[in-house]
Amino acid sequence: MSDSLFDTFAFGDTTLANRIAMAPMTRSRTSQPGDVPNAMMATYYQQRADAGLIITEGTPISAVARGYSMTPGIYTQAHIDGWKKVTQAIHAAGSKVFVQLWHVGRRSHASIAGEQPVSASALKDPDQVFGPLPEGGFGMIETQTPRAMTQQDIDNTIADFVQAARNALEAGFDGVEIHAAHGYLFDTFLRTSSNQRTDQYGGSQENRMRFLLETLQAVSDEIGGHRVAVRVSPHVMEGFAESDPEIVEVVLKALEKMTPMKLAYVHFSENISRHVEVPETFRQQVRKVCDLPVMVAGKLTPESAQQMLDKGYADLFAFGTPYVTNPDLATRFRHGWPLEGFDADARLTLYGGDQHGYIDYPTYSA
């Protein structure tokens, strides 16, 4: 009998009720001032806790790491206390939860982060993020040219990730997922188009993966590799004007070096923004070089996820926008119940606002 999406799955000391994950999605619903997680967020996540694993929205590790307004932090005591409400609600509903630790790098603006954004190099691509508008209110604003990180910036950032991981455990999370995808900080170090450094973090493939690997090792040393995951997107060009001919090779080499860390899982984000299809040969290469659980996200269906599971290409399957409008998504999948579509109105309520389009979607009624 083959494995099913609805079977339990274990990694490290964590056992999931099923192989379905809720993918991280920015929703910008924090309490102000301070970007503090609140009771409405706890309700939102608890409603969706039929997923075996919930991965929170991207959570900045520091003020300078922030690139979207009203996203919940993990670097103050108020943040920790706010997240405790969320983790308790999720655990009470029977699910597990990892917090996605986030540094957006150049995908930001001083009006959001409080200072000039930082990146691998002082290079900007046309890009927009959710931030304060000059005329008041919030909307999409153009990002700002970053400055190249110094060695001190890199050291400070690694320390910030370690502290954020400590804070996450205090807040009750089962683990952390380090965001190294979508043109954010680590992704700009990995790619040749955004990394023109001449120090130990630039040039060769080994140098370009160094910052991410050092961060993963430091966080793993602090809280245990079985509580640390990483998200990458080698087949997605979000945040970049051009593709990188070396990114797939660099990611595969990095995965090989991650294996001894015994991480919780590696999470591939696919089929969003500008992207290329992922060939089966890549999935085979991942299994060859990396002995870690694999999660895949990106316009999956239960059928395509099950096919990937049957072929042995992945262990966990993350669903994003379907969870916006279907809080009981895993239950609907299990019973073959119809889904509520993700329409234009749902898209308009993704960022900011109140409970409308956030916690007012009903569960299925037969």
Side-chain angles (χ1 to χ4, degrees), residues 56 92 130 158 201 222 283 286 294 316 334:
T56 73
F130 184 72
I158 294 173
Y201 295 98
E222 183 65 30
R283 304 203 191 282
V286 168
V294 170
L316 298 165
R334 183 186 293 270

Side-chain angles (χ1 to χ4, degrees), residues 58-334:
T59 302
I61 58 164
S62 64
V64 72
R66 181 176 296 281
Y68 293 75
S69 291
M70 295 187 287
T71 51
I74 190 72
Y75 50 90
T76 71
Q77 190 60 50
H79 293 151
I80 295 169
D81 293 341
W83 276 122
K84 285 179 180 177
K85 301 174 186 175
V86 177
T87 60
Q88 289 166 3
I90 292 170
H91 289 148
S95 187
K96 305 294 186 181
V97 56
F98 274 40
V99 60
Q100 188 182 70
L101 299 183
W102 202 17
H103 193 308
V104 304
R106 68 183 182 180
R107 302 192 71 183
S108 187
H109 191 278
S111 63
I112 303 170
E115 60 182 276
Q116 183 181 8
V118 296
S119 188
S121 300
L123 299 170
K124 172 180 162 40
D125 271 343
D127 198 7
Q128 289 189 324
V129 290
F130 184 72
L133 299 170
E135 64 272 22
F138 294 87
M140 302 308 290
I141 63 172
E142 186 66 19
T143 57
Q144 189 175 4
T145 301
R147 65 175 178 82
M149 294 181 80
T150 65
Q151 182 65 55
Q152 189 63 59
D153 291 326
I154 289 172
D155 293 344
N156 291 345
T157 299
I158 294 173
D160 287 341
F161 271 99
V162 170
Q163 184 61 54
R166 288 194 205 107
N167 295 348
L169 294 193
E170 183 182 342
F173 286 102
D174 299 291
V176 304
E177 179 182 288
I178 292 178
H179 200 342
H182 300 173
Y184 298 123
L185 182 64
F186 292 116
D187 209 8
T188 60
F189 272 79
L190 293 174
R191 300 185 189 235
T192 56
S193 65
S194 48
N195 185 341
Q196 297 183 357
R197 304 176 71 93
T198 57
D199 63 359
Q200 62 177 334
Y201 295 98
S204 70
Q205 293 182 353
E206 287 70 22
N207 282 356
R208 281 182 277 129
M209 67 180 77
R210 186 187 306 275
F211 185 18
L212 173 59
L213 294 173
E214 286 181 347
T215 303
L216 286 168
Q217 189 65 65
V219 175
S220 296
D221 288 346
E222 183 65 30
I223 68 170
H226 62 291
R227 295 190 183 94
V228 181
V230 62
R231 193 182 211 202
V232 292
S233 57
H235 294 90
V236 174
M237 280 79 78
E238 183 179 4
F240 300 97
E242 59 189 58
S243 60
D244 187 325
E246 295 186 24
I247 186 60
V248 170
E249 185 179 355
V250 168
V251 167
L252 287 170
K253 288 182 177 179
L255 293 178
E256 191 170 8
K257 293 178 182 295
M258 292 174 197
T259 297
M261 300 180 196
K262 297 183 172 15
L263 303 181
Y265 60 85
V266 55
H267 182 180
F268 293 98
S269 178
E270 304 170 355
N271 298 322
I272 65 164
S273 184
R274 292 188 307 112
H275 65 276
V276 296
E277 291 297 318
V278 180
E280 288 204 26
T281 52
F282 175 76
R283 304 203 191 282
Q284 293 162 0
Q285 287 172 304
V286 168
R287 286 303 203 191
K288 185 176 180 180
V289 304
C290 175
D291 186 24
L292 298 172
V294 170
M295 179 186 293
V296 172
K299 296 183 171 60
L300 294 171
T301 64
E303 294 75 21
S304 64
Q306 185 64 54
Q307 288 172 6
M308 211 176 296
L309 178 61
D310 291 343
K311 291 180 178 179
Y313 291 156
D315 308 288
L316 298 165
F317 305 90
F319 297 83
T321 51
Y323 254 120
V324 171
T325 51
N326 300 276
D328 55 340
L329 185 69
T331 305
R332 293 189 191 221
F333 284 166
R334 183 186 293 270

